């Protein structure tokens, strides 16, 4: 991207809404691929919709699961996606073909899946009420990571930027840093709030550049640390956060936080309302609050890896936030230079001379020297924005774009048609990724397909009656029926806002979820078609818990 | 000037660089492709190297085999002359720009027109796919540059690019930038994603820019102006690095190309019926190819082999394939 030569690559932050990505399914989670060219959106009907960000059009739809997709992650080369659904299944998908490579069944719902940043063979899975598990895809083996306190198993985990370490955090605020290969404990510390009370860790997010990471805790403070400092503090260290970000006025709890592509800004989505707060990491000041539609609740927030664009999900719709495009008028004139401040003009001695007596021979050598320069028209420099500091080259086999075939319009009158003996062969859009074809077939892929390998992961001591927070709450713990009355949020948040999901009628025969009942909901939406969506035929509500 | 060079001209001599670099190519005429019934306007090799597509004032596009020059098929559909044609990166689709103010997207295998892109208000003169082949950029006599989405045929953006007909548009190799050249003497570089103008190069104030394209690595721009001069620019600094002269180009928008499969050359057509080849670094004319009987309006280079395709206007109507060893 030669943009660096022309634009200041110093990313800023988005400042206004820039449209939405709307499709039939209700979106639950989203994630950009490494270059920001594709956005994968997991939906509540189990589909993964891949949007081409340049054209803001749908590039592919993978009918991945039957149950809502709750977590997604792109592989580093962009060819694979790993997804988790609320029925405790983790699958790996090949993006180009839409086929499922492998499947893992867990005993409890999955909160998060993440590829090892450098090794696509390893996937970190965070099941509920369990220690995090690292899967090795090639041999379907898994390793359970050590935890600090066996009694409390609401553990979240994340790879660091390079995948060398895994950071885990539990409900008592203890952070463990484990070496990825050996699971050895190399550092640990405990997050305490002001009065030495512990606070539950809700998530750990790493920046794509630099060594910083943030911890989102139940006390509504976002703490930003430098990874290197954590490692030097070692076990039971007491590192100081670089920044502590919070909304003091409203005591806003945060649903999801992430860094900007260059790590200079942090965006946090409020769990109470549709608002995104953006801070500058180095100074810690709040630079922007982006407001979305009132009454909607945020489900997910993702910052584009390179551009100042944020994608946020609320009410099943992906909203895009971008910068206001101001035309740079000085670019339209070749020698125009914008000045930041007034410059005193100094007249030359010979400014107003009609004939310059003192002028020497015009300098020719400068131009000639330039013309003797060697130009290299073929070698390509790697784009700094996409390269990591410890890697030399870009991956030449990476998948940046999905091929798109133009949709065929109606055949038109062709008075200049070919002579009668010309041969007309059939159109080639049989295998094209047109949406119509995708949605009519149940699977989105061709019939003769090898069955993906399914592995059951057994975890000790994990209750298998947990329900994913997206679906409902474990009240009686036995059935998946949604609860009437106040859901007890496990990470302790506020009152329930009336969550009215926008209901899209199941189109082209596909079942959709989204019925809502109970006193929390204001309006009753249509119940769904039976069978495919929920195992026992129960109707499942989607509550948004903070 | 003879079109054939003696065989030993290609013997490697220690040039500035360490590796063997040929001094001169020895392009020789291999095939003459006859089929069009009016002036040919543009020839392009497919990215996979298999095919050559040619557009013409006889309103059709003809697809030929790139290695054997054999006629493959004809694409009908435009109602007026076609000025330009371009391949998608997977070599399955073509886009053509025509005087009937539309662009058409063709499926090569079936020969059918998949989509017609309407929106320009005057002749569409030039067109190109982006490397991902999800977008098409087109320049027109209505002084605007339009960016179209391939899948739906919608016009995503219209850039008020110039104050005179736009003669050439091209994406860089990553698809992030678009360069446009126009008769108003300016070259502008645009950000493909936002449509913002990033830079303007005043090639020459009073001279129409007849052709512009990015170098294969996207670092430089090659411009052609109607004073018989080709220039290579480093656009980030706004400096002209190389100038190539010796040919004749004062009337038509003649295509030029980088040849990087063997030695590094600049290839261009010319109004004196010859194809000119310059050395990129030394700016010397290393070969002139003779054979056409009218203005050589376009010259294209094969992506992997040392093959040049050239085509000429009404008095000639043929496409010639030239092959070299280096």
């Amino acid at each position: 991207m030669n943009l660096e030569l022309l634009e200041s690559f110093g990313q800023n932050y988005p400042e206004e809404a820039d449209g939405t990505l709307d499709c039939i399914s209700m979106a639950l989670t989203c994630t950009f691929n490494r270059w920001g060219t594709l956005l994968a959106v997991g939906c509540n009907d189990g589909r993964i919709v891949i949007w081409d960000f340049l054209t803001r059009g749908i590039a592919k739809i993978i009918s991945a699961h039957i149950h809502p997709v709750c977590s997604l992650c792109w592989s580093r080369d962009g060819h694979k996606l790993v997804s988790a659904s609320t029925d405790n299944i983790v699958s790996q998908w090949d993006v180009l073909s839409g086929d499922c490579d492998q499947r893992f069944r867990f005993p409890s719902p999955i909160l998060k899946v993440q590829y090892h940043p450098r090794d696509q063979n390893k996937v970190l899975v965070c099941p509920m009420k369990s220690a995090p598990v690292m899967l090795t895809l090639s041999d379907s083996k898994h390793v359970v990571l050590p935890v600090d306190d066996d009694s409390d198993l609401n553990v979240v985990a994340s790879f660091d930027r390079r995948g060398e370490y895994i950071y885990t955090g539990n409900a008592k605020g203890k952070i463990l840093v484990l070496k990825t290969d050996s699971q050895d404990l190399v550092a640990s510390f405990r997050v305490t709030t002001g009065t030495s009370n512990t606070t539950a860790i809700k998530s750990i997010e790493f920046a794509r550049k630099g060594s910083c990471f943030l911890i989102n805790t139940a006390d509504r403070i976002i703490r930003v640390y430098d990874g290197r400092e954590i490692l030097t503090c070692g076990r039971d260290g007491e590192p100081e956060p670089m920044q502590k970000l919070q909304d003091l006025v409203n005591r806003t709890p945060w649903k999801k936080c992430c860094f900007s592509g260059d790590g200079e800004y942090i965006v946090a989505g409020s769990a109470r309302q549709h608002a995104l707060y953006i801070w500058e990491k180095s100074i810690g000041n709040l630079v922007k609050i982006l407001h979305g539609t009132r009454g909607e609740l945020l489900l997910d927030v993702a910052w584009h890896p390179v551009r100042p664009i944020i994608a946020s999900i609320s009410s099943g719709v992906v909203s895009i936030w971008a910068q206001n495009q101001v035309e740079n008028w000085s670019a339209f004139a070749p020698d125009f230079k914008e000045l930041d401040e007034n410059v005193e003009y100094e007249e030359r001695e010979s400014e107003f001379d009609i004939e310059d007596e003192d002028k020497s021979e015009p300098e020719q050598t400068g131009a000639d020297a330039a013309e003797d320069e060697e130009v290299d028209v073929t070698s390509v420099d790697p784009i700094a924005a996409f390269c990591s500091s410890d890697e030399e080259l870009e991956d030449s086999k990476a998948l940046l774009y999905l091929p798109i075939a133009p949709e065929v319009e109606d055949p038109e009158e062709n008075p200049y048609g070919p002579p009668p003996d010309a041969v007309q062969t059939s159109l080639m859009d049989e295998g094209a990724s047109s949406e119509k074809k995708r949605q009519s077939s149940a699977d989105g892929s061709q019939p003769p397909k090898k069955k993906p390998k399914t592995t059951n992961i057994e975890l000790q001591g994990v209750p298998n009656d947990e329900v994913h927070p997206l679906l409902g709450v474990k009240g009686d713990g036995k059935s998946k029926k949604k609860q009437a009355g106040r859901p007890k949020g496990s990470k302790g948040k506020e009152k329930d806002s009336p969550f009215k999901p926008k209901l899209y009628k199941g189109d082209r025969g596909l079942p959709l979820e989204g019925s809502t009942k109970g006193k929390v909901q204001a309006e009753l939406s249509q119940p769904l078609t039976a069978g495919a969506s929920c195992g026992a035929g129960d109707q499942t509500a989607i509550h948004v818990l903070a | 000037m003879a079109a054939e060079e003696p065989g030993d001209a290609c013997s490697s001599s220690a040039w500035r660089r360490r590796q063997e670099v040929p001094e001169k190519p020895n392009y020789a005429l291999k095939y003459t492709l006859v089929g069009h019934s009016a002036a040919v306007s543009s020839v392009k090799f497919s990215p996979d190297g298999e095919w050559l597509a040619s557009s013409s004032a006889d309103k059709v596009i003809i697809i030929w085999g790139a290695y054997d020059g054999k006629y493959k098929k004809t694409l009908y559909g435009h109602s007026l002359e076609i000025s330009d044609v371009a391949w998608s990166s997977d070599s399955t689709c073509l886009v053509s720009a025509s005087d009937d103010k539309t662009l058409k997207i063709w499926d090569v295998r079936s020969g059918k027109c998949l989509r017609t892109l309407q929106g320009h208000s005057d002749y569409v003169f030039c067109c190109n796919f982006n490397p991902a082949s999800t977008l098409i950029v087109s320049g027109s006599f209505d002084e605007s540059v339009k960016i179209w989405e391939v899948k739906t045929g919608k016009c995503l953006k219209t850039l008020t690019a110039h104050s005179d007909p736009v003669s050439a548009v091209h994406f860089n190799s990553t698809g992030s930038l678009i360069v446009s050249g126009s008769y108003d003497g300016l070259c502008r570089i645009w950000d493909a994603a936002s449509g913002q103008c990033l830079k303007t190069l005043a090639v020459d104030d009073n001279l129409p820019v007849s052709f512009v394209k990015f170098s294969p690595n996207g670092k430089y721009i090659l411009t052609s102006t109607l004073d018989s001069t080709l220039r290579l620019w480093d656009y980030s600094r706004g400096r002209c690095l190389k100038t190539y002269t010796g040919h004749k180009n004062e009337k038509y928008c003649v295509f030029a190309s980088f040849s990087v499969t063997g030695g590094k050359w600049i290839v261009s057509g010319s109004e004196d019926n010859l194809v000119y080849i310059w050395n990129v670094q030394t700016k010397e004319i290393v070969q002139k190819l003779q054979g056409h009987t009218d203005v050589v309006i376009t010259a294209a280079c094969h992506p992997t082999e040392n093959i040049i395709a050239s085509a000429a206007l009404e008095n000639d109507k043929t496409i010639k394939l030239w092959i070299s060893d280096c």
Side-chain angles (χ1 to χ4, degrees):
Chain A
M1 183 163 31
N2 299 317
L3 276 179
E4 296 158 287
L5 301 174
L6 301 172
E7 285 180 314
S8 62
F9 179 58
Q11 248 187 31
N12 282 315
Y13 47 88
E15 290 174 357
E16 54 179 36
D18 187 24
T20 61
L21 300 177
D22 230 337
C23 72
I24 312 279
S25 326
M26 287 183 59
L28 290 178
T29 176
C30 65
T31 175
F32 283 99
N33 69 351
R34 187 172 152 216
W35 306 272
T37 52
L38 298 171
L39 178 71
V41 177
C43 304
N44 74 339
D45 57 1
R47 287 196 290 187
I48 301 173
V49 181
I50 301 180
W51 294 82
D52 178 322
F53 216 64
L54 195 55
T55 55
R56 303 272 174 98
I58 295 183
K60 198 174 185 83
I61 299 185
I62 301 177
S63 295
H65 296 272
I66 305 169
H67 288 251
V69 179
C70 51
S71 181
L72 279 175
C73 187
W74 285 90
S75 67
R76 186 166 172 78
D77 67 358
H79 278 277
K80 308 276 183 199
L81 269 175
V82 65
S83 69
S85 71
T86 52
D87 60 354
N88 315 349
I89 293 186
V90 172
S91 312
Q92 171 172 276
W93 304 89
D94 181 276
V95 174
L96 269 180
S97 64
D99 293 336
C100 177
D101 293 336
Q102 256 197 32
R103 206 175 268 162
F104 297 85
R105 196 185 311 267
F106 281 78
S108 64
I110 313 296
L111 294 172
K112 177 176 169 179
V113 288
Q114 188 185 13
Y115 271 108
H116 186 294
R118 299 285 158 93
D119 178 7
Q120 297 185 184
N121 195 26
K122 297 204 173 78
V123 175
L124 183 66
V125 181
C126 301
M128 275 178 77
K129 292 283 186 265
S130 157
V133 173
M134 189 156 67
L135 293 174
T136 318
L137 292 175
S138 51
D139 54 7
S140 306
K141 290 211 171 49
H142 68 278
V143 171
V144 179
L145 300 177
V147 288
D148 183 50
D149 180 0
D150 278 335
S151 59
D152 181 19
L153 285 179
N154 274 327
V155 186
V156 295
S158 173
F159 282 107
D160 75 338
R161 180 172 71 97
R162 297 207 183 126
E164 282 178 63
Y165 300 99
I166 300 178
Y167 284 62
T168 69
N170 66 6
K172 298 260 175 62
K174 189 73 184 279
I175 302 277
L176 300 179
V177 181
L178 309 165
K179 207 137 176 34
T180 308
D181 312 324
S182 57
Q183 292 97 50
D184 288 336
L185 180 66
V186 296
S188 67
F189 64 98
R190 191 178 293 275
V191 175
T192 54
T193 63
T195 53
S196 307
N197 282 341
T198 60
T199 173
I201 310 286
K202 287 167 63 178
S203 70
I204 307 172
E205 307 282 344
F206 280 82
R208 283 185 203 248
K209 289 220 175 312
S211 54
C212 293
F213 66 96
L214 62 83
I215 300 181
N216 181 14
T217 45
D219 63 352
R220 305 165 194 204
I221 300 178
I222 301 169
R223 292 174 175 78
V224 183
Y225 293 89
D226 186 337
R228 292 168 296 194
E229 195 189 328
I230 307 293
L231 293 175
T232 38
C233 285
R235 299 193 194 187
D236 293 319
E238 288 180 7
E240 273 298 308
M242 284 168 54
Q243 295 290 351
K244 277 162 112 166
L245 308 171
Q246 53 184 318
D247 178 8
L248 285 166
V249 177
N250 299 320
R251 299 278 292 144
T252 309
W254 309 109
K255 174 82 176 159
K256 170 92 192 281
C257 321
C258 59
F259 282 90
S260 65
D262 57 359
E264 288 305 313
Y265 292 94
I266 294 170
V267 64
S270 157
R272 273 207 200 114
Q273 48 168 321
H274 190 170
L276 298 170
Y277 288 62
I278 302 178
W279 292 267
E280 202 173 327
K281 180 197 81 175
S282 44
I283 310 175
N285 58 332
L286 180 69
V287 292
K288 187 85 190 168
I289 305 180
L290 298 169
H291 289 285
T293 325
R294 282 182 68 92
E296 291 186 351
L297 282 185
L298 277 177
L299 287 174
D300 203 356
V301 177
W303 197 308
H304 191 282
V306 186
R307 290 181 179 263
I309 297 178
I310 294 178
S312 70
I313 296 187
S314 65
S315 297
V317 166
V318 181
S319 311
I320 307 288
W321 307 86
Q323 281 187 326
N324 198 8
Q325 284 299 341
V326 177
E327 204 58 75
N328 180 14
W329 294 110
S330 60
F332 278 92
D335 296 321
F336 209 78
K337 258 207 307 250
E338 271 185 17
L339 296 175
D340 286 328
E341 47 184 36
N342 289 335
V343 169
E344 284 278 331
Y345 182 65
E346 287 178 13
E347 271 179 24
R348 289 185 331 245
E349 267 295 315
S350 53
E351 182 86 37
F352 295 107
D353 290 349
I354 296 176
E355 222 181 66
D356 192 352
E357 296 139 358
D358 299 326
K359 191 164 81 168
S360 51
E361 274 302 306
E363 287 291 313
Q364 284 294 351
T365 53
D368 287 344
E371 297 240 332
D372 284 338
E373 220 176 277
E374 231 173 78
V375 289
D376 185 358
V377 292
T378 43
S379 60
V380 181
D381 291 332
I383 298 168
F386 295 148
C387 286
S388 323
S389 43
D390 60 340
E391 282 184 327
E392 296 274 313
L393 306 161
E394 277 184 62
D395 189 350
S396 53
K397 292 194 292 290
L399 180 67
L400 270 84
Y401 296 102
L402 288 179
I404 289 187
E407 291 170 1
V408 184
E409 55 183 8
D410 296 326
E412 43 186 31
E413 265 302 307
N414 199 348
Y416 305 95
D421 53 320
V423 175
Q424 299 284 337
T425 53
S426 61
L427 284 173
M428 83 165 208
D429 80 321
E430 302 305 335
S433 56
S434 54
E435 281 177 66
K436 305 184 178 63
K437 268 207 114 63
R438 291 252 157 248
Q439 290 170 353
S440 56
S441 64
D443 217 9
S445 50
Q446 314 310 316
K449 186 173 71 104
K450 63 181 196 325
K451 209 164 152 33
K453 180 172 156 198
T454 307
T455 314
N456 282 327
I457 305 283
E458 305 293 332
L459 296 174
Q460 296 211 329
V462 178
N464 50 3
D465 51 0
E466 286 286 331
V467 173
H468 196 282
L470 268 181
L471 287 183
V473 202
K474 175 184 137 188
D476 49 4
K478 282 292 190 279
S479 71
K480 280 202 192 142
K481 271 205 179 62
K482 78 26 320 46
Q483 311 298 313
R486 270 180 178 276
K488 309 180 208 50
S490 56
K491 309 287 171 83
K493 248 12 126 195
E494 51 298 315
K495 58 201 179 358
D496 296 302
S497 331
F499 177 51
K500 308 178 184 58
K502 260 193 270 180
L503 219 245
Y504 296 84
K505 288 280 180 158
D507 198 15
R508 300 186 182 96
L510 277 177
L512 285 179
E513 294 199 313
S515 78
T516 54
K517 278 195 270 187
K519 74 178 180 188
V520 190
Q521 317 305 333
E523 46 188 46
L524 185 65
S525 334
Q526 299 302 318
L528 325 142
T529 60
S533 353
C534 326
D538 290 337
Q539 284 166 340
T540 315
I542 298 187
H543 289 254
V544 177
L545 293 182
Chain B
M1 179 76 78
E4 302 192 342
E5 300 287 311
D8 58 33
C10 244
S11 60
S12 57
S13 52
W15 200 228
R16 281 176 201 158
R17 276 163 273 166
R18 307 291 167 323
Q19 67 246 56
E20 293 189 3
V21 169
E23 279 203 33
K24 287 177 200 275
N26 59 349
Y27 280 95
L29 176 62
K30 199 79 189 289
Y31 299 105
T32 300
L33 280 46
V34 182
H36 280 296
S37 49
V40 183
S41 54
S42 171
V43 289
K44 297 273 175 74
F45 282 101
S46 64
D48 63 4
E50 290 290 316
W51 309 109
L52 180 72
S54 64
S55 64
S56 160
D58 61 5
K59 309 174 199 154
V60 303
I61 301 167
I62 300 186
I63 314 251
W64 317 79
Y67 297 113
D68 53 9
K70 271 218 193 91
Y71 165 86
K72 181 85 163 77
K73 64 163 56 120
T74 308
L75 307 180
Y76 298 87
H78 276 297
S79 49
L80 284 177
E81 292 85 338
I82 307 177
S83 302
D84 198 5
V85 69
W87 288 89
S88 65
S89 314
D90 56 4
S91 307
T92 56
C93 291
L94 282 173
V95 62
S96 57
S98 164
D99 284 358
D100 62 8
K101 306 183 198 161
T102 69
L103 295 116
K104 280 184 189 290
I105 306 179
W106 308 84
D107 170 49
V108 174
R109 222 171 61 182
S110 64
K112 278 214 160 107
C113 167
L114 295 175
R115 259 198 186 266
T116 302
L117 309 178
Q118 293 174 334
H120 277 295
S121 48
D122 207 339
Y123 311 142
V124 191
F125 197 69
C126 45
C127 57
N128 251 311
F129 275 95
N130 68 339
S133 297
T134 49
L135 299 175
I136 289 173
V137 64
S138 65
S140 160
F141 266 54
D142 65 7
E143 302 167 8
S144 72
V145 170
K146 278 184 191 284
I147 303 177
W148 312 80
E149 185 187 357
V150 171
K151 187 156 176 217
T152 56
K154 249 183 7 177
C155 174
L156 293 177
K157 287 199 182 59
T158 302
L159 313 176
T160 39
H162 292 278
S163 46
D164 266 326
V166 180
S167 53
V169 284
H170 191 226
F171 274 99
N172 69 340
S173 50
T174 57
S176 53
L177 299 175
I178 296 171
V179 65
S180 65
S182 157
Y183 281 9
D184 61 4
L186 298 176
C187 263
R188 289 207 159 111
I189 299 177
W190 311 84
D191 174 31
S194 60
Q196 259 198 324
C197 176
L198 297 175
K199 197 153 176 97
T200 304
L201 292 176
V203 179
D204 200 308
D205 268 337
N206 296 320
L207 290 173
V209 175
S210 56
F211 179 71
V212 66
K213 85 184 281 188
F214 278 104
S215 65
N217 62 358
K219 277 210 252 181
Y220 307 100
I221 292 182
L222 182 68
T223 64
S224 167
T225 39
L226 290 186
D227 60 346
S228 309
T229 315
L230 284 156
R231 290 185 180 84
L232 190 70
W233 298 79
D234 175 358
Y235 57 85
S236 50
R237 287 180 293 173
R239 275 195 346 187
C240 170
L241 295 177
K242 304 276 180 195
T243 312
Y244 307 95
T245 52
H247 62 305
K248 180 149 176 276
N249 183 5
E250 282 156 10
K251 196 158 160 218
Y252 296 99
C253 288
V254 175
F255 282 79
S257 188
F258 289 88
S259 170
V260 297
T261 44
K264 309 275 185 283
W265 323 115
I266 303 274
V267 179
S268 170
S270 165
E271 286 158 12
D272 57 6
N273 308 357
L274 301 171
V275 177
Y276 280 73
I277 306 179
W278 292 265
N279 181 308
V280 169
Q281 310 294 349
T282 66
K283 303 165 285 184
E284 290 168 346
I285 298 175
V286 293
Q287 203 180 355
K288 296 193 232 181
L289 309 179
Q290 194 183 44
H292 282 289
T293 53
D294 200 351
V295 169
V296 180
I297 190 77
T298 176
C301 298
H302 192 277
T304 48
E305 303 289 326
N306 299 323
I307 307 178
I308 291 179
S310 61
L313 296 185
E314 305 83 55
N315 284 339
D316 182 314
K317 299 193 270 262
T318 64
I319 302 163
K320 290 188 190 289
L321 286 176
W322 315 77
I323 301 194
S324 162
D325 295 327
C326 57

